[in-house]
């Protein structure tokens, strides 16, 4: 095994401090998995206004109080605070960046009050990227690699190679940029570029200029020493297929030899029905009847009459086009005629809030909808459902299909990205779920029908359930692959 690496893992969300989606779970669990292999991986993320210092055990660091940097030619003050993420036998140092100018309001990317993107998101994450680099020397801890994640961190590699290229403490630090979702690009008007203080050469096609805008993501992709994304299949799709490439296929193709696909892992100390404190009845693969007690309790909570023989379909998701809600909308009238229950937890676009709330009224007694973000309910839905539905248009990795497998909840997914890399057709000897090819409502409906039919054959169904529960999607393999990348990029 390679010698341990010092890695600064830079991310805009980390569970349990802040979470809108899968990045938060990965930012919690990957650094811990890497630390258990002998690395020193520390996480840094903004301290958003809603964070409760006492509950999350966030403390001051004397040396990192009242620091100053210049952003957009203005001086701004900030502090770094400390906390720790703990697993069963693992932990990771967490740094939280506190700033009255940029992270005081409640909300991660959107202001919780207005429900709109912060109008200064460009400057918020420009500040974040610059401050991350500036604290390193004060910290007196030098990373071999800065591991950047998504557009919010995209300026870091470019800063290192331009403004900091003559700074002896910074200039030889290498960067790995991981794409968690290529569709979110951090594209801003060209005028944003002037705020960065970087030389004009960065605002070109070979830098961050993207269809007339300044793109944080493209900047990251062009300047990072290596690039990765979160499944093998998605790595290939975004390079070779315009529909997935979001206008960045050429950039990615130019960097083909530096690009890798590493599947996300699951933290089985959090997502595991045998230890999950957020579900009413914990169970192993030998205790499937206890799973039905979770189902009974969840349905009762939503005033739906429980019948063990009627399958429950669960969905937990950001309510955005990517996740296939237009297909769900199309099949719902037909689906609700079947012997089936459904529960949907999500938050996102207003059009889907409306559609789901109306549907809940229309299909009372069969469909439950919870609009909002609710971690405990997400766990309960995983434990209670028989089937998990994830008909994504595209899916960089996807975590819920892997969580579902562990909870004995059989996934129905579209054959794309990380879903394709994790779910195997139920008819194969190692099958664990249901897949459909085309992004089409008939294909989806027919596939759901197949699952409902198989549910009636309990022996076969339970075999599928147990097969899923026995699989190992922990970080074991993937963390080693990241270490290999760190080694390649740092030449250590
Ligand atoms: P993405 O990152 O695209 O949102 P993933 O499947 O990778 O999708 O990860 C989604 C994560 O966010 C999962 O942990 C899921 O349980 C969680 N999640 C999504 N929406 C909600 C919600 N409304 N309430 C609670 N958890 C949610």
């Amino acid at each position: 095994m390679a010698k341990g690496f010092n890695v600064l893992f830079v991310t805009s969300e980390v569970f349990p401090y802040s979470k809108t989606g899968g990045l938060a779970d990965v930012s919690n669990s990957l650094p811990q998995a890497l630390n258990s292999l002998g690395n020193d991986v520390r996480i840094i993320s903004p301290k958003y206004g809603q964070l409760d210092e006492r509950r999350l055990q966030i403390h001051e660091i004397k040396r990192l109080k009242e620091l100053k940097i210049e952003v957009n030619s203005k001086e701004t003050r900030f502090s770094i605070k400390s906390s720790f993420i703990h697993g069963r036998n693992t932990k990771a140092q967490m740094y939280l960046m506190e700033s009255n100018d940029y992270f005081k309001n409640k909300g991660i990317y959107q202001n919780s009050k207005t429900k709109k993107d912060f109008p200064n998101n460009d400057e918020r994450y420009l500040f974040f990227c610059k401050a991350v680099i500036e604290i390193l020397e004060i910290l007196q801890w030098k990373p071999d690699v800065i591991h950047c994640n998504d557009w919010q961190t995209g300026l870091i590699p470019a800063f290192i190679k331009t403004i900091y290229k003559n700074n002896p403490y910074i200039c030889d630090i290498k960067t790995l940029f991981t794409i968690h979702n290529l569709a979110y690009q951090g594209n801003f008007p060209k005028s944003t570029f002037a705020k960065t203080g970087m030389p004009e050469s960065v605002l070109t096609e070979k830098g961050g200029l993207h269809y007339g805008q300044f793109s944080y993501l493209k900047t990251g992709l062009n300047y990072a020493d290596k690039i990765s994304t979160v499944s093998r299949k998605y790595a290939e799709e975004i390079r070779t297929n315009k529909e997935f490439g979001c206008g960045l296929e050429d950039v990615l193709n130019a960097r083909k030899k530096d690009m890798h696909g590493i599947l996300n892992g699951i933290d089985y100390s959090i997502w595991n029905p045998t230890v999950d404190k957020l579900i009413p009845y914990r169970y192993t693969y030998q205790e499937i009847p206890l799973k039905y007690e979770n189902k009974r309790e969840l349905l009762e909570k939503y005033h739906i009459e429980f019948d063990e023989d009627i399958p429950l379909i669960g969905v937990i998701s950001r309510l955005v086009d990517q996740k296939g809600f237009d297909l769900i909308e199309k099949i719902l009238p037909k689906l609700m005629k079947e012997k089936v229950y459904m529960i949907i937890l999500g938050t996102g676009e207003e059009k889907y809030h409306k559609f789901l709330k109306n549907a809940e009224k229309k299909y009372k007694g069969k469909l439950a909808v919870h609009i909002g973000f609710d971690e405990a309910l997400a766990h309960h839905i995983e434990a209670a459902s028989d089937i998990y539905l994830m008909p994504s248009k595209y899916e960089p990795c996807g975590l819920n299909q892997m969580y579902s497998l562990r909870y004995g909840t059989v996934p129905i997914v579209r054959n794309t990205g990380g879903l394709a890399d994790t779910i195997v057709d139920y008819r194969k000897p190692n099958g664990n779920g249901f897949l459909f090819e085309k992004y089409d409502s008939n294909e989806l409906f027919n596939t759901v029908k197949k699952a409902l039919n198989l549910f009636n054959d309990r022996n076969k169904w339970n075999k599928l359930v147990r097969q899923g529960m026995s699989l190992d999607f922990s970080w074991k393999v993937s963390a080693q692959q990241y270490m290999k990348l760190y080694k390649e990029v740092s030449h250590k």
Side-chain angles (χ1 to χ4, degrees), residues 33-281:
L34 286 161
N35 285 345
S36 69
L37 295 176
N39 300 292
D40 183 1
V41 182
R42 306 183 186 186
I43 308 156
I44 187 159
S45 191
K47 182 173 163 273
Y48 301 108
Q50 69 276 20
L51 269 65
D52 180 337
E53 288 199 5
R54 192 120 47 106
R55 187 176 70 79
L56 293 162
Q57 303 195 13
I58 300 171
H59 304 287
E60 282 187 351
I61 310 174
K62 273 216 179 90
R63 233 170 351 133
L64 298 176
K65 254 173 82 173
E66 292 288 313
L67 306 172
K68 278 183 275 186
I69 58 167
E70 211 172 86
V71 175
N72 191 16
S73 313
K74 291 178 304 232
E75 190 181 270
T76 182
R77 283 166 192 270
F78 68 102
S79 300
I80 303 293
K81 294 193 163 172
S82 166
S83 183
F84 282 92
I85 285 176
H86 291 273
R88 229 176 304 163
N89 300 309
T90 51
K91 69 173 183 176
Q93 164 78 60
M94 171 86 192
Y95 295 120
L96 290 140
M97 190 175 291
E98 184 180 70
S99 154
N100 277 336
D101 289 334
Y102 296 110
F103 299 130
K104 192 171 187 242
N105 291 327
K106 289 186 182 163
I108 300 177
Y109 313 120
Q110 293 189 337
N111 188 319
S112 306
K113 263 199 209 137
T114 62
K115 307 260 184 278
K116 296 216 163 67
D117 281 3
F118 285 109
N120 64 341
N121 266 342
D122 62 339
E123 221 172 295
R124 291 170 84 226
Y125 291 105
L126 158 60
F127 157 72
F128 179 55
C129 289
K130 201 163 177 199
V132 163
I133 298 174
E134 287 277 339
I135 62 157
L136 293 175
E137 203 165 349
I138 309 169
L139 201 58
Q140 280 300 307
W141 175 78
K142 184 166 170 167
D144 301 302
V145 181
I146 298 184
H147 189 157
C148 302
N149 295 280
D150 276 354
W151 73 262
Q152 292 85 355
T153 63
L155 300 187
I156 290 175
F159 276 140
I160 294 178
K161 292 206 168 116
T162 57
I163 299 180
Y164 296 91
K165 71 171 190 238
N166 297 321
N167 178 321
Y169 198 83
I170 305 294
C171 64
D172 58 345
I173 298 175
K174 302 297 180 195
T175 54
L176 167 65
F177 186 90
T178 298
I179 305 163
H180 296 263
N181 194 332
L182 195 72
Y184 296 88
Q185 305 189 337
N187 296 336
F188 298 103
K190 270 193 200 166
S191 54
T192 288
F193 182 74
K195 303 179 187 178
T196 66
M198 284 193 280
E200 286 296 323
S201 57
V202 178
L203 193 63
T204 59
E205 282 299 331
K206 288 203 160 4
L209 187 63
H210 188 44
Y211 296 99
Q213 291 191 296
F214 175 47
S215 168
Y216 283 30
L217 177 66
K218 187 172 175 183
T219 306
L221 295 177
N222 273 325
Y223 283 89
D225 294 303
K226 278 211 182 288
I227 301 170
S228 74
T229 185
V230 288
S231 68
R232 196 192 41 75
K233 177 91 174 186
Y234 188 64
E236 179 193 303
E237 286 171 340
I238 53 179
R239 255 194 329 99
T240 55
N241 188 328
K242 275 202 160 51
E243 221 183 288
F244 296 91
C246 308
L248 289 165
E249 313 77 76
D250 294 344
V251 178
L252 295 168
N253 262 318
R255 302 229 41 198
K256 187 177 168 197
K257 73 172 186 12
D258 292 319
M259 200 167 142
H260 302 260
I262 303 178
L263 192 72
N264 284 334
I266 299 302
D267 186 340
Y268 287 128
S269 68
I270 298 178
W271 291 96
N272 183 352
T274 61
V275 298
D276 191 338
K277 292 201 181 73
L278 297 174
I279 61 176
Y281 299 90

Side-chain angles (χ1 to χ4, degrees), residues 458-473:
R458 278 313 168 83
N459 280 339
K460 280 196 186 147
W461 186 262
N462 285 339
K463 217 176 126 216
L464 196 58
V465 165
R466 285 199 204 94
Q467 165 67 11
M469 290 182 85
S470 69
L471 296 173
D472 182 359
F473 285 104

Side-chain angles (χ1 to χ4, degrees), residues 19-23 25 181 271 316-318 322-323 345-347 372-375 378 390 395 397-401 403:
K19 174 167 170 176
T20 69
L23 173 62
D25 289 0
N181 194 332
W271 291 96
I316 304 155
S317 181
R318 292 184 295 116
Q322 174 204 341
K323 300 292 183 177
L345 163 64
T347 176
F373 197 94
D374 189 327
E375 189 73 23
M390 206 163 169
E395 194 57 73
C397 175
L399 296 174
N400 279 108
Q401 83 281 14
Y403 297 156

